[in-house]
Coordinates of all heavy atoms in Angstrom, one line a residue:
M236 N 64.6 83.0 112.9 CA 64.0 81.7 112.8 C 64.9 80.8 111.9 O 64.5 79.7 111.7 CB 62.6 81.8 112.2 CG 61.9 80.5 112.3 SD 60.3 80.1 112.0 CE 59.1 81.1 112.1
A237 N 66.0 81.3 111.5 CA 66.9 80.5 110.7 C 67.3 79.3 111.5 O 67.6 79.3 112.7 CB 68.1 81.3 110.2
G238 N 67.4 78.1 110.8 CA 67.8 76.9 111.5 C 66.7 76.2 112.2 O 66.9 75.1 112.7
T239 N 65.5 76.7 112.2 CA 64.4 76.1 112.9 C 64.0 74.8 112.1 O 64.0 74.8 110.9 CB 63.2 77.0 113.0 OG1 63.6 78.2 113.7 CG2 62.0 76.4 113.7
R240 N 63.6 73.8 112.8 CA 63.3 72.5 112.2 C 61.9 72.0 112.7 O 61.7 72.2 113.9 CB 64.4 71.5 112.4 CG 65.7 71.9 111.8 CD 66.8 70.9 112.0 NE 66.8 69.8 111.0 CZ 67.1 69.9 109.8 NH1 67.5 71.0 109.3 NH2 67.1 68.9 109.0
V241 N 61.2 71.3 111.9 CA 59.9 70.7 112.3 C 60.0 69.2 111.9 O 60.2 68.9 110.7 CB 58.7 71.4 111.6 CG1 57.4 70.6 112.0 CG2 58.6 72.8 112.0
S242 N 60.0 68.4 112.9 CA 60.2 66.9 112.7 C 61.4 66.6 111.8 O 61.3 65.8 110.9 CB 58.9 66.3 112.1 OG 57.8 66.4 113.0
G243 N 62.5 67.3 112.0 CA 63.7 67.1 111.3 C 63.8 67.8 110.0 O 64.9 67.7 109.3
V244 N 62.8 68.5 109.6 CA 62.8 69.2 108.3 C 63.0 70.7 108.5 O 62.2 71.2 109.4 CB 61.5 68.9 107.5 CG1 61.6 69.6 106.1 CG2 61.3 67.4 107.3
S245 N 63.9 71.4 107.8 CA 64.1 72.8 108.1 C 62.8 73.6 107.6 O 62.1 73.2 106.7 CB 65.3 73.3 107.3 OG 65.0 73.3 105.9
T246 N 62.5 74.6 108.3 CA 61.4 75.4 108.0 C 61.5 76.0 106.6 O 60.5 76.2 105.9 CB 61.1 76.6 109.0 OG1 62.3 77.3 109.1 CG2 60.7 76.0 110.3
S247 N 62.8 76.3 106.1 CA 62.9 76.8 104.8 C 62.6 75.8 103.7 O 62.0 76.1 102.7 CB 64.4 77.3 104.6 OG 65.3 76.3 104.8
D248 N 62.9 74.5 104.0 CA 62.5 73.4 103.1 C 60.9 73.3 103.1 O 60.3 73.1 102.1 CB 63.1 72.1 103.5 CG 64.5 72.0 102.9 OD1 64.9 72.7 102.0 OD2 65.3 71.1 103.4
L249 N 60.3 73.3 104.3 CA 58.9 73.3 104.4 C 58.2 74.4 103.6 O 57.2 74.2 102.9 CB 58.4 73.3 105.8 CG 58.8 72.0 106.6 CD1 58.4 72.2 108.1 CD2 58.0 70.8 106.1
Q250 N 58.7 75.6 103.7 CA 58.2 76.7 103.0 C 58.3 76.6 101.5 O 57.4 76.9 100.8 CB 58.8 78.0 103.5 CG 58.5 78.4 104.9 CD 59.3 79.5 105.5 OE1 60.4 79.8 105.0 NE2 58.9 80.1 106.5
A251 N 59.4 76.1 101.1 CA 59.7 75.8 99.6 C 58.7 74.7 99.1 O 58.2 74.8 98.0 CB 61.1 75.4 99.4
L252 N 58.5 73.7 99.9 CA 57.6 72.6 99.5 C 56.1 73.2 99.4 O 55.4 72.9 98.4 CB 57.6 71.5 100.5 CG 58.9 70.6 100.5 CD1 58.9 69.7 101.7 CD2 58.9 69.8 99.2
V253 N 55.7 73.9 100.4 CA 54.3 74.5 100.3 C 54.2 75.4 99.2 O 53.1 75.4 98.5 CB 54.0 75.2 101.7 CG1 52.7 76.0 101.6 CG2 53.9 74.2 102.8
A254 N 55.2 76.2 98.9 CA 55.2 77.1 97.7 C 55.4 76.4 96.4 O 55.3 77.1 95.4 CB 56.2 78.2 98.0
R255 N 55.7 75.1 96.4 CA 56.0 74.4 95.2 C 57.2 75.0 94.5 O 57.1 75.2 93.3 CB 54.8 74.1 94.4 CG 53.8 73.2 95.1 CD 52.6 72.8 94.2 NE 53.1 71.9 93.1 CZ 53.3 70.6 93.1 NH1 53.2 70.0 94.3 NH2 53.7 70.0 92.0
E256 N 58.2 75.4 95.2 CA 59.4 76.0 94.6 C 60.6 75.0 94.9 O 61.4 75.3 95.8 CB 59.7 77.4 95.2 CG 58.6 78.3 94.9 CD 58.8 79.7 95.5 OE1 59.8 79.9 96.3 OE2 58.0 80.6 95.2
P257 N 60.7 73.9 94.2 CA 61.8 73.0 94.4 C 63.2 73.6 94.3 O 64.1 73.1 94.9 CB 61.5 71.8 93.5 CG 60.6 72.4 92.4 CD 59.9 73.5 93.1
S258 N 63.3 74.6 93.5 CA 64.6 75.2 93.3 C 65.1 75.9 94.6 O 66.3 76.1 94.8 CB 64.6 76.2 92.2 OG 63.8 77.3 92.5
Q259 N 64.3 76.1 95.6 CA 64.6 76.7 96.9 C 64.9 75.6 97.9 O 65.2 76.0 99.1 CB 63.5 77.6 97.3 CG 63.2 78.7 96.4 CD 64.4 79.6 96.1 OE1 65.0 80.1 97.0 NE2 64.7 79.9 94.8
L260 N 64.8 74.4 97.6 CA 65.0 73.3 98.6 C 66.5 73.1 98.8 O 67.3 73.3 97.9 CB 64.4 72.0 98.1 CG 62.9 71.9 98.0 CD1 62.4 70.7 97.2 CD2 62.3 72.0 99.4
S261 N 66.8 72.5 100.0 CA 68.2 72.1 100.2 C 68.5 70.9 99.3 O 67.6 70.3 98.7 CB 68.3 71.6 101.7 OG 67.5 70.5 101.9
A262 N 69.8 70.6 99.1 CA 70.2 69.5 98.2 C 69.5 68.2 98.6 O 69.0 67.5 97.7 CB 71.7 69.3 98.2
D263 N 69.4 67.8 99.9 CA 68.8 66.6 100.3 C 67.3 66.6 100.0 O 66.7 65.6 99.4 CB 69.0 66.3 101.8 CG 70.4 65.8 102.1 OD1 71.1 65.4 101.1 OD2 70.7 65.7 103.3
A264 N 66.6 67.7 100.3 CA 65.2 67.8 100.1 C 64.9 67.8 98.6 O 63.9 67.2 98.1 CB 64.6 69.0 100.7
Q265 N 65.8 68.4 97.8 CA 65.6 68.4 96.3 C 65.7 67.0 95.7 O 65.0 66.6 94.8 CB 66.5 69.4 95.7 CG 66.1 69.6 94.2 CD 66.6 71.0 93.7 OE1 67.7 71.4 94.1 NE2 65.8 71.6 92.9
L266 N 66.6 66.2 96.3 CA 66.8 64.8 95.8 C 65.5 64.1 96.1 O 64.9 63.4 95.2 CB 67.9 64.1 96.5 CG 68.1 62.6 96.3 CD1 68.2 62.3 94.8 CD2 69.3 62.1 97.0
A267 N 64.9 64.2 97.3 CA 63.7 63.5 97.6 C 62.5 64.0 96.7 O 61.7 63.2 96.3 CB 63.4 63.7 99.1
W268 N 62.5 65.3 96.5 CA 61.5 65.9 95.6 C 61.6 65.4 94.2 O 60.5 65.0 93.6 CB 61.6 67.4 95.6 CG 60.8 68.1 94.6 CD1 61.1 68.4 93.3 CD2 59.5 68.7 94.8 NE1 60.1 69.0 92.7 CE2 59.1 69.3 93.5 CE3 58.7 68.8 95.9 CZ2 57.9 69.9 93.4 CZ3 57.4 69.5 95.7 CH2 57.1 70.0 94.5
N269 N 62.8 65.3 93.7 CA 62.9 64.8 92.3 C 62.5 63.4 92.2 O 61.9 63.0 91.2 CB 64.4 65.0 91.9 CG 64.7 66.5 91.6 OD1 63.8 67.3 91.4 ND2 66.0 66.8 91.7
Y270 N 62.9 62.6 93.2 CA 62.5 61.2 93.2 C 61.0 61.1 93.2 O 60.4 60.3 92.4 CB 63.1 60.5 94.4 CG 62.5 59.2 94.7 CD1 62.7 58.0 94.0 CD2 61.6 59.1 95.8 CE1 62.1 56.8 94.3 CE2 60.9 57.9 96.1 CZ 61.2 56.8 95.3 OH 60.6 55.6 95.6
A271 N 60.4 61.8 94.1 CA 58.9 61.7 94.3 C 58.2 62.2 93.0 O 57.3 61.5 92.6 CB 58.4 62.6 95.5
Q272 N 58.6 63.2 92.4 CA 58.0 63.7 91.2 C 58.2 62.7 90.1 O 57.2 62.5 89.3 CB 58.6 65.1 90.8 CG 58.1 66.2 91.6 CD 56.6 66.4 91.6 OE1 56.0 66.4 92.6 NE2 56.0 66.5 90.4
A273 N 59.3 62.1 89.9 CA 59.5 61.1 88.9 C 58.6 59.9 89.1 O 58.0 59.4 88.1 CB 61.0 60.6 88.9
V274 N 58.5 59.5 90.3 CA 57.6 58.3 90.6 C 56.1 58.7 90.3 O 55.4 58.0 89.6 CB 57.7 57.9 92.1 CG1 56.6 56.9 92.5 CG2 59.1 57.3 92.4
L275 N 55.7 59.9 90.8 CA 54.3 60.3 90.6 C 54.0 60.5 89.1 O 52.8 60.3 88.7 CB 54.0 61.5 91.5 CG 54.1 61.2 93.0 CD1 53.9 62.5 93.7 CD2 53.1 60.2 93.4
D276 N 55.0 61.0 88.4 CA 54.8 61.2 87.0 C 55.0 60.0 86.1 O 54.9 60.1 84.9 CB 55.7 62.3 86.5 CG 55.4 63.7 87.1 OD1 54.3 63.9 87.6 OD2 56.3 64.5 87.1
H277 N 55.4 58.8 86.7 CA 55.7 57.6 86.0 C 56.8 57.9 84.9 O 56.7 57.4 83.8 CB 54.5 57.0 85.3 CG 53.3 56.8 86.2 ND1 53.3 55.7 87.1 CD2 52.2 57.5 86.5 CE1 52.2 55.7 87.8 NE2 51.5 56.8 87.5
A278 N 57.7 58.7 85.3 CA 58.8 59.2 84.4 C 59.8 58.1 84.2 O 60.2 57.3 85.1 CB 59.5 60.4 85.0
P279 N 60.4 58.0 83.0 CA 61.4 57.0 82.7 C 62.7 57.2 83.5 O 63.4 56.2 83.8 CB 61.7 57.2 81.2 CG 61.1 58.5 80.8 CD 60.1 58.9 81.9
E280 N 63.0 58.4 84.0 CA 64.2 58.6 84.8 C 64.0 58.2 86.3 O 64.9 58.4 87.1 CB 64.7 60.0 84.7 CG 63.8 61.1 85.2 CD 62.8 61.6 84.2 OE1 62.7 61.1 83.1 OE2 62.0 62.5 84.5
T281 N 62.9 57.6 86.7 CA 62.7 57.2 88.1 C 63.8 56.3 88.6 O 64.3 56.4 89.7 CB 61.3 56.4 88.2 OG1 60.3 57.3 87.8 CG2 61.1 55.9 89.6
A282 N 64.3 55.4 87.7 CA 65.3 54.4 88.1 C 66.6 55.2 88.5 O 67.3 54.8 89.4 CB 65.6 53.4 87.0
Q283 N 66.9 56.3 87.8 CA 68.1 57.1 88.1 C 67.9 57.8 89.4 O 68.9 57.8 90.2 CB 68.3 58.2 87.0 CG 68.6 57.6 85.6 CD 68.5 58.6 84.5 OE1 68.0 59.8 84.7 NE2 69.0 58.3 83.4
W284 N 66.7 58.3 89.7 CA 66.5 58.9 91.0 C 66.5 57.9 92.2 O 67.1 58.1 93.2 CB 65.2 59.7 91.1 CG 65.2 60.9 90.2 CD1 64.5 61.1 89.0 CD2 66.1 62.0 90.4 NE1 64.9 62.3 88.5 CE2 65.8 62.9 89.3 CE3 67.0 62.4 91.3 CZ2 66.5 64.1 89.1 CZ3 67.7 63.6 91.2 CH2 67.4 64.5 90.1
C285 N 66.0 56.7 91.9 CA 66.1 55.6 92.9 C 67.6 55.3 93.2 O 68.0 55.2 94.4 CB 65.5 54.3 92.4 SG 63.7 54.3 92.4
A286 N 68.4 55.2 92.2 CA 69.8 55.0 92.4 C 70.5 56.1 93.2 O 71.3 55.8 94.1 CB 70.5 54.8 91.0
Q287 N 70.1 57.3 93.0 CA 70.7 58.4 93.7 C 70.2 58.4 95.2 O 71.0 58.6 96.1 CB 70.3 59.8 93.1 CG 71.1 60.0 91.8 CD 70.8 61.4 91.3 OE1 70.8 62.4 92.0 NE2 70.7 61.5 90.0
V288 N 69.0 58.1 95.4 CA 68.5 57.9 96.8 C 69.2 56.8 97.5 O 69.7 56.9 98.7 CB 66.9 57.7 96.8 CG1 66.5 57.3 98.2 CG2 66.2 59.0 96.4
L289 N 69.4 55.7 96.8 CA 70.1 54.5 97.4 C 71.6 54.9 97.7 O 72.1 54.6 98.8 CB 70.1 53.3 96.5 CG 68.8 52.6 96.4 CD1 68.8 51.6 95.2 CD2 68.5 51.8 97.7
A290 N 72.2 55.6 96.8 CA 73.6 56.0 97.1 C 73.7 57.0 98.2 O 74.7 57.0 99.0 CB 74.2 56.6 95.8
R291 N 72.7 57.9 98.4 CA 72.8 58.9 99.4 C 72.4 58.4 100.8 O 73.1 58.7 101.8 CB 71.9 60.1 99.0 CG 71.8 61.2 100.0 CD 73.1 62.0 100.1 NE 72.9 63.1 101.0 CZ 73.6 63.2 102.2 NH1 74.4 62.3 102.5 NH2 73.4 64.2 102.9
W292 N 71.3 57.6 100.8 CA 70.7 57.2 102.1 C 70.6 55.7 102.4 O 70.3 55.3 103.5 CB 69.4 57.9 102.4 CG 69.4 59.4 102.4 CD1 70.2 60.2 103.2 CD2 68.7 60.3 101.5 NE1 70.0 61.5 102.9 CE2 69.1 61.6 101.9 CE3 67.8 60.1 100.5 CZ2 68.5 62.7 101.3 CZ3 67.3 61.2 99.9 CH2 67.6 62.5 100.2
G293 N 70.6 54.9 101.3 CA 70.5 53.5 101.4 C 69.1 53.0 101.3 O 68.2 53.7 101.1
P294 N 69.0 51.6 101.3 CA 67.7 51.0 101.0 C 66.6 51.4 102.0 O 65.4 51.5 101.6 CB 68.0 49.5 101.2 CG 69.5 49.4 100.8 CD 70.1 50.6 101.4
P295 N 66.9 51.6 103.3 CA 65.8 51.9 104.2 C 65.1 53.3 103.8 O 63.9 53.4 103.9 CB 66.4 52.1 105.6 CG 67.6 51.1 105.5 CD 68.1 51.3 104.1
A296 N 65.9 54.2 103.3 CA 65.3 55.5 102.9 C 64.5 55.4 101.7 O 63.4 56.0 101.6 CB 66.5 56.5 102.7
L297 N 65.0 54.6 100.7 CA 64.2 54.4 99.5 C 62.9 53.7 99.9 O 61.8 54.1 99.3 CB 65.0 53.5 98.5 CG 64.3 53.2 97.2 CD1 64.0 54.5 96.4 CD2 65.1 52.3 96.3
A298 N 62.9 52.7 100.7 CA 61.6 52.1 101.1 C 60.7 53.1 101.9 O 59.5 53.1 101.6 CB 61.9 50.9 102.0
T299 N 61.3 53.9 102.7 CA 60.5 54.9 103.4 C 59.8 55.9 102.5 O 58.6 56.2 102.6 CB 61.4 55.6 104.5 OG1 61.9 54.7 105.4 CG2 60.6 56.7 105.2
L300 N 60.6 56.4 101.5 CA 60.1 57.3 100.5 C 59.0 56.7 99.7 O 57.9 57.3 99.4 CB 61.2 57.9 99.6 CG 62.1 58.9 100.3 CD1 63.3 59.2 99.4 CD2 61.4 60.2 100.6
A301 N 59.2 55.5 99.3 CA 58.3 54.7 98.4 C 57.0 54.5 99.2 O 55.9 54.7 98.7 CB 58.9 53.4 98.0
L302 N 57.1 54.1 100.5 CA 55.9 53.9 101.3 C 55.1 55.2 101.5 O 53.9 55.2 101.5 CB 56.3 53.2 102.6 CG 55.2 52.8 103.5 CD1 54.2 51.9 102.8 CD2 55.7 52.2 104.8
A303 N 55.8 56.2 101.7 CA 55.2 57.5 101.9 C 54.4 57.9 100.7 O 53.2 58.4 100.8 CB 56.2 58.6 102.3
L304 N 55.0 57.7 99.5 CA 54.3 58.0 98.3 C 53.0 57.2 98.1 O 51.9 57.7 97.7 CB 55.2 57.9 97.1 CG 56.3 58.9 96.9 CD1 57.3 58.5 95.9 CD2 55.7 60.3 96.6
V305 N 53.2 55.9 98.3 CA 52.0 55.0 98.1 C 50.9 55.3 99.1 O 49.7 55.3 98.8 CB 52.5 53.5 98.3 CG1 51.3 52.5 98.4 CG2 53.4 53.1 97.1
T306 N 51.3 55.6 100.4 CA 50.3 55.9 101.4 C 49.6 57.2 101.1 O 48.4 57.2 101.2 CB 51.0 56.0 102.8 OG1 51.7 54.8 103.1 CG2 50.0 56.3 103.9
A307 N 50.3 58.2 100.6 CA 49.7 59.5 100.3 C 48.7 59.3 99.2 O 47.7 60.0 99.2 CB 50.8 60.5 100.0
R308 N 49.0 58.4 98.2 CA 48.1 58.2 97.1 C 46.9 57.3 97.5 O 45.9 57.3 96.8 CB 48.8 57.6 95.9 CG 49.7 58.6 95.2 CD 48.8 59.5 94.4 NE 49.5 60.6 93.8 CZ 49.7 60.7 92.5 NH1 49.2 59.8 91.7 NH2 50.3 61.8 92.0
S309 N 47.0 56.5 98.5 CA 46.0 55.6 98.9 C 44.8 56.3 99.6 O 43.6 55.8 99.4 CB 46.5 54.4 99.7 OG 46.9 54.9 101.0
F310 N 45.0 57.3 100.4 CA 43.9 57.9 101.1 C 42.9 58.5 100.2 O 41.7 58.3 100.5 CB 44.5 59.0 102.1 CG 45.1 58.4 103.3 CD1 46.5 58.5 103.5 CD2 44.4 57.6 104.2 CE1 47.1 58.0 104.6 CE2 45.0 57.0 105.3 CZ 46.3 57.2 105.5
P311 N 43.2 59.3 99.2 CA 42.1 59.8 98.3 C 41.3 58.6 97.7 O 40.1 58.7 97.5 CB 42.9 60.6 97.2 CG 44.1 61.0 97.9 CD 44.5 59.8 98.8
A312 N 42.0 57.6 97.3 CA 41.3 56.4 96.7 C 40.4 55.8 97.7 O 39.2 55.4 97.4 CB 42.3 55.4 96.1
M313 N 40.8 55.6 98.9 CA 40.0 55.0 100.0 C 38.7 55.9 100.2 O 37.6 55.4 100.3 CB 40.8 54.9 101.3 CG 40.0 54.3 102.4 SD 39.3 52.6 102.1 CE 40.7 51.7 102.8
K314 N 38.9 57.2 100.3 CA 37.8 58.1 100.5 C 36.8 58.0 99.4 O 35.6 58.0 99.6 CB 38.3 59.5 100.7 CG 39.0 59.7 102.1 CD 39.7 61.0 102.3 CE 39.0 62.3 101.9 NZ 39.7 63.5 102.1
Q315 N 37.3 58.0 98.2 CA 36.5 57.8 97.0 C 35.7 56.5 97.1 O 34.5 56.5 96.8 CB 37.3 57.9 95.7 CG 36.5 57.8 94.5 CD 35.6 59.1 94.2 OE1 36.0 60.2 94.6 NE2 34.5 58.9 93.6
A316 N 36.4 55.4 97.4 CA 35.7 54.1 97.4 C 34.7 54.0 98.5 O 33.7 53.3 98.4 CB 36.8 53.0 97.7
L317 N 34.8 54.8 99.6 CA 33.9 54.8 100.7 C 32.7 55.8 100.5 O 31.8 55.9 101.3 CB 34.5 55.1 102.0 CG 35.5 54.0 102.5 CD1 36.3 54.5 103.7 CD2 34.7 52.7 102.8
G318 N 32.8 56.5 99.4 CA 31.8 57.5 99.1 C 31.9 58.8 99.9 O 31.0 59.6 100.0
L319 N 33.1 59.0 100.5 CA 33.3 60.2 101.3 C 34.0 61.3 100.6 O 34.1 62.4 101.1 CB 34.2 59.8 102.5 CG 33.6 58.7 103.4 CD1 34.6 58.3 104.5 CD2 32.3 59.1 104.0
A320 N 34.6 61.1 99.4 CA 35.3 62.1 98.7 C 34.5 63.4 98.4 O 34.9 64.5 98.6 CB 36.0 61.6 97.5
P321 N 33.3 63.2 97.9 CA 32.5 64.4 97.6 C 32.3 65.3 98.8 O 32.3 66.5 98.7 CB 31.2 63.9 97.0 CG 31.5 62.5 96.5 CD 32.6 62.0 97.5
A322 N 32.0 64.8 99.9 CA 31.7 65.5 101.1 C 33.0 66.1 101.8 O 32.9 67.2 102.3 CB 31.0 64.7 102.1
S323 N 34.1 65.4 101.7 CA 35.3 65.9 102.4 C 36.3 66.6 101.6 O 37.3 67.1 102.1 CB 35.9 64.7 103.1 OG 36.3 63.7 102.2
C324 N 36.2 66.6 100.2 CA 37.2 67.1 99.4 C 36.7 68.4 98.6 O 37.1 68.7 97.5 CB 37.7 66.1 98.4 SG 38.5 64.7 99.2
Q325 N 35.8 69.1 99.3 CA 35.3 70.3 98.6 C 36.1 71.5 99.0 O 36.6 71.7 100.1 CB 33.8 70.5 98.9 CG 33.0 69.5 98.3 CD 31.5 69.6 98.6 OE1 31.1 70.6 99.2 NE2 30.7 68.7 98.2

């Protein structure tokens, strides 16, 4: 199954993400992981990770990663605001 990909992501990267083992990620996936963790942690080094993402993939990728993070964080808030979180998040 080596080399298998799901929506452009290697299965080994997906397995490492699910296992929360960033040290097992490919270099590209680890860059995205480090950027995401810095953003979610409100870490001071977020700007450094932004610069690395820009250097590696350019502005469209930074915007895509940022939008993915914001979107992922908005669904739990929406469910909570609609009173659906207690029933659906158990």
